[in-house]
Amino acid sequence: MEIGNNTQISEFHLLGLSEKPELQPLLFGLFLSMYLITVCGNLLIILATISDSHLHTPMYFFLSNLSFSDICFTSTTVPKMLVNIQTQSKVITYAGCISQIFFFLVFAVLDDFLLTVLAYDRYVAICHPLHYTAIMNPWLCGKLVLTSWIMSVVYSLLHSLMALRLSFCVLVEIPHFFCELNQVVHLACSDTFLNDMVIYFAAVLLEGGPLTGILYSYCNIVLSICEISSVQGKYKAFSTCVSHLLVVFLFYCTSMGVYLSAGATHSSHTSAKASVMYTVVTPMLNPFIYSLRNKDIKRALKTVFGRETVKGSMTLSLSNT
């Protein structure tokens, strides 16, 4: 096997989800539909949060940031996949692959941190309701989001720089629809021990830590809800958390399922197909989960579209006169 350093590698080949030509139109239509639903759904959440003054609260501030992160998260992988299918090309440049790794990790880890921040927000709201406004002040909310961004960028930059030190073979084929970090590292011709150690330790610290925080927050929330005497009070407290719990369940179960299934089957294509769940399906479902079970979001969206309908009818009547 001929070995070259990373300066000699100009491109990688993304093999995608399937190499069967007859499936490509189906994959293109399916992923284009899911991408458009993801972008439109999350944009509606952001629009509703901005336009309705009743939603100018810490929870909806974090939720709008999560929606923005989900749009960017999906946009790091799906558009490139659609272009490759449409042009019948599997090529991604070396610089493009490293950039994709960086931005994918930024928004994946940002999602992780924002879910933790949302759990903390619900913990304060339910366990310390009298001090909620004082604790979750705009200054703290801003710092929590800013810290999440900084930690995500530092984490992603570390892995991207570690990937730059690797040497690859002359022709590298990635059995995935995007440049997934583990796949890229394990296709290197040089020693990957240091990269593997960084991946494992960083995963434990920056992914296990937030998950622990989420579990701790919701354990306290459940205990506080159990102490509420009225059934209506318990239902109201639980209903404010159920949407977030569904999103947390989807994100962590699908992402952990990817690595567990890949480890069990040792199939790269199986890992690629399983990755669709947390890279595409979960960001697409988040707006539905939050809007379907949230009366405030529904009311805000009705208000926004109600205004647009009124403006449209007024414009039409004026043009007729």
Side-chain angles (χ1 to χ4, degrees):
M1 182 180 294
E2 187 178 350
I3 306 297
N5 60 41
N6 52 16
T7 58
Q8 295 175 327
I9 298 296
S10 60
E11 61 186 33
F12 298 112
H13 287 181
L14 295 172
L15 300 184
L17 294 172
S18 174
E19 298 184 63
K20 297 180 180 178
E22 63 271 16
L23 290 179
Q24 301 310 307
L26 176 63
L27 289 173
F28 182 84
L30 180 62
F31 277 84
L32 178 61
S33 301
M34 289 194 293
Y35 179 66
L36 292 176
I37 292 171
T38 300
V39 173
C40 293
N42 283 288
L43 281 177
L44 285 175
I45 297 291
I46 296 171
L47 178 63
T49 305
I50 294 173
S51 61
D52 192 336
S53 59
H54 295 95
L55 301 184
H56 293 174
T57 62
M59 185 181 80
Y60 292 106
F61 171 66
F62 299 135
L63 180 57
S64 60
N65 276 274
L66 180 64
S67 294
F68 174 76
S69 178
D70 280 340
I71 292 172
C72 298
F73 182 45
T74 310
S75 297
T76 60
T77 58
V78 177
K80 177 58 180 173
M81 177 188 181
L82 295 175
V83 169
N84 283 2
I85 293 175
Q86 187 65 22
T87 59
Q88 298 182 356
S89 170
K90 300 177 182 180
V91 173
I92 184 171
T93 64
Y94 176 81
C97 187
I98 299 299
S99 299
Q100 192 177 63
I101 289 173
F102 173 78
F103 287 108
F104 178 84
L105 290 175
V106 165
F107 295 111
V109 177
L110 183 59
D111 266 13
D112 196 11
F113 281 124
L114 289 175
L115 289 173
T116 309
V117 171
L118 275 164
Y120 176 71
D121 174 79
R122 292 300 84 202
Y123 162 74
V124 176
I126 294 173
C127 299
H128 306 283
L130 299 178
H131 303 286
Y132 178 75
T133 306
I135 296 174
M136 300 303 294
N137 57 74
W139 175 242
L140 177 63
C141 293
K143 286 199 295 185
L144 287 173
V145 172
L146 180 61
T147 302
S148 299
W149 271 98
I150 292 173
M151 294 292 288
S152 301
V153 171
V154 170
Y155 175 86
S156 306
L157 190 61
L158 172 64
H159 284 301
S160 300
L161 292 176
M162 291 293 294
L164 285 172
R165 60 178 286 276
L166 296 174
S167 300
F168 294 93
C169 304
V170 174
L171 178 62
V172 179
E173 293 184 337
I174 303 173
H176 218 294
F177 64 95
F178 68 96
C179 287
E180 201 266 335
L181 179 64
N182 281 328
Q183 295 282 348
V184 173
V185 168
H186 292 148
L187 289 172
C189 295
S190 56
D191 181 36
T192 62
F193 176 78
L194 186 58
N195 294 75
D196 289 332
M197 289 299 101
V198 172
I199 289 173
Y200 294 141
F201 281 112
V204 170
L205 292 175
L206 293 182
E207 294 177 24
L211 180 58
T212 303
I214 291 172
L215 294 176
Y216 174 81
S217 296
Y218 275 100
C219 284
N220 283 278
I221 287 171
V222 170
L223 292 175
S224 297
I225 291 176
C226 291
E227 294 175 358
I228 299 174
S229 57
S230 67
V231 177
Q232 185 178 2
K234 288 182 178 180
Y235 175 79
K236 185 178 180 181
F238 181 74
S239 64
T240 62
C241 301
V242 66
S243 298
H244 181 246
L245 278 172
L246 284 172
V247 172
V248 169
F249 176 81
L250 276 174
F251 182 80
Y252 278 100
C253 287
T254 54
S255 58
M256 287 191 293
V258 168
Y259 294 101
L260 290 176
S261 64
T265 61
H266 302 285
S267 172
S268 299
H269 280 291
T270 300
S271 175
K273 293 172 183 175
S275 296
V276 174
M277 285 302 298
Y278 79 95
T279 57
V280 183
V281 176
T282 300
M284 180 185 70
L285 293 179
N286 286 356
F288 293 100
I289 293 172
Y290 281 112
S291 61
L292 289 176
R293 296 196 56 87
N294 193 306
K295 294 179 180 178
D296 294 331
I297 292 288
K298 288 181 180 179
R299 186 190 66 245
L301 290 174
K302 287 179 180 178
T303 303
V304 170
F305 287 111
R307 288 174 185 171
E308 294 299 324
T309 304
V310 171
K311 288 180 182 178
S313 60
M314 289 178 63
T315 304
L316 182 61
S317 61
L318 288 172
S319 63
N320 290 334
T321 57

